[in-house]
Amino acid sequence: MTRRKQTFTVGWLYPDLMNIYGDRGNILTLLKRAEWRDYDARLVELGRGTTQHMEDVDVFFFGGGQDREQALVYEDLLEHKQHPLERAVQAGAAVLAVCGGYQLLGHYYQTAEGERFPGIGLIDVRTEAGKKRFIGDVVVDTQIEDITPGTLVGFENHSGRTFLGPNASALGRVRLGFGNNGSDGTEGYLQGGVLGTYLHGSLLPKNPHLADYLIRSALRRRGVDELSPLDDSVELAAHARILERAPHAAHGRHASPALLQRPSHAPLESRPRSRADAPPPDQP
Ligand code: GLN
């Protein structure tokens, strides 16, 4: 008799509105990595109004969105999602929230024009937008102890400056990029299985160790502490490529385009041909 597979459910908040800069890749990564561990991986889409099956969700994903989209979802979040989400997190579900989603899990997000969208206060952070957008590659040294590598890589594009409250801890410190606010060197938010971050890209395909951290966090309530290893050589090669481009940058300032284009140390001929080495496009 075939053993019935355990289900693993990903809940996608506002897939139609909060989904930019490849955020969908995080959903695919979570589902695939659960499937490769022999779980019956399922996706529940949680658009405006509906809260069905939120109690079955193992990992919630809340993607990014421009101010316009955040204005369209924050009332629904307060009215329909806040309490089921709080219950689910208390029951051990994990959450990954990126950029605009991260901001609305906090106390509020205030636009550059001064309009304030109240958040659900699930996490102790507040966000106020500035005039200058923070855009570019990001490298973070993470505070999560038991994951390897200890770095996260991604891409940021936000006007919001997020400040951690006394009950909040950071996901990590930026080695390259602006992170939470471009001034205190922190990036993201981390409390157990609840993660907030400004890293788009999408995040999880180039950070499989973080995907497994979320899956493990959600499965802990089923007594699962370890996941069977997967061959992440391709994912980690992509991760390492971003790290190579970032060695000399200090947080808040970006590496010069030349530095981002080509690794600084290794002599040209020892590396696979990169964009910078491509012959110049046909002159007119
Ligand atoms: N609108 C928010 C900001 O500008 C979030 C942007 C995003 O999700 N990329 O900060």
Side-chain angles (χ1 to χ4, degrees), residues 18 20-21 23 63-68 70 98-101 103 109 127 129 133 157-161 198 200:
M18 300 294 284
I20 50 178
Y21 311 128
D23 286 347
Q66 301 309 348
D67 294 6
R68 195 185 78 82
Q70 291 172 291
V98 173
C99 208
Q103 296 164 345
Y109 168 61
T127 306
R133 290 193 75 82
N157 184 341
H158 56 109
S159 59
R161 280 86 169 133
Y198 275 110
H200 292 281

Side-chain angles (χ1 to χ4, degrees), residues 101-277:
Y102 165 35
Q103 296 164 345
L104 291 178
L105 291 190
H107 301 300
Y108 64 82
Y109 168 61
Q110 182 172 298
T111 68
E113 293 70 39
E115 191 181 358
R116 187 172 282 198
F117 306 147
I120 60 172
L122 180 74
I123 61 177
D124 185 15
V125 305
R126 61 183 173 81
T127 306
E128 294 174 11
K131 291 268 173 282
K132 176 180 166 355
R133 290 193 75 82
F134 292 156
I135 300 176
D137 278 354
V138 184
V139 173
V140 174
D141 291 302
T142 177
Q143 323 246 55
I144 303 177
E145 263 127 42
D146 55 356
I147 67 168
T148 309
T151 46
L152 301 173
V153 300
F155 170 81
E156 64 184 334
N157 184 341
H158 56 109
S159 59
R161 280 86 169 133
T162 294
F163 298 91
L164 305 178
N167 308 319
S169 55
L171 176 60
R173 297 198 63 79
V174 284
R175 191 192 292 183
L176 171 71
F178 298 90
N180 277 334
N181 49 52
S183 53
D184 66 9
T186 66
E187 202 299 307
Y189 168 95
L190 173 71
Q191 197 85 43
V194 179
L195 264 90
T197 179
Y198 275 110
L199 272 60
H200 292 281
S202 48
L203 171 68
L204 297 182
K206 289 192 290 297
N207 300 282
H209 45 309
L210 187 66
D212 282 359
Y213 173 82
L214 286 160
I215 295 172
R216 262 201 321 273
S217 301
L219 291 175
R220 194 150 290 129
R221 60 187 168 178
R222 300 190 209 175
V224 176
D225 279 323
E226 282 310 313
L227 296 173
S228 53
L230 296 173
D231 170 5
D232 289 330
S233 50
V234 174
E235 292 88 341
L236 293 174
H239 184 103
R241 184 82 183 94
I242 305 275
L243 285 186
E244 280 160 18
R245 295 192 321 206
H248 299 305
H251 88 79
R253 274 184 303 107
H254 283 280
S256 66
L259 187 58
L260 281 176
Q261 280 295 326
R262 182 174 35 224
S264 57
H265 294 311
L268 197 55
E269 59 282 355
S270 73
R271 302 199 53 85
R273 289 183 61 80
S274 70
R275 213 178 13 198
D277 304 330

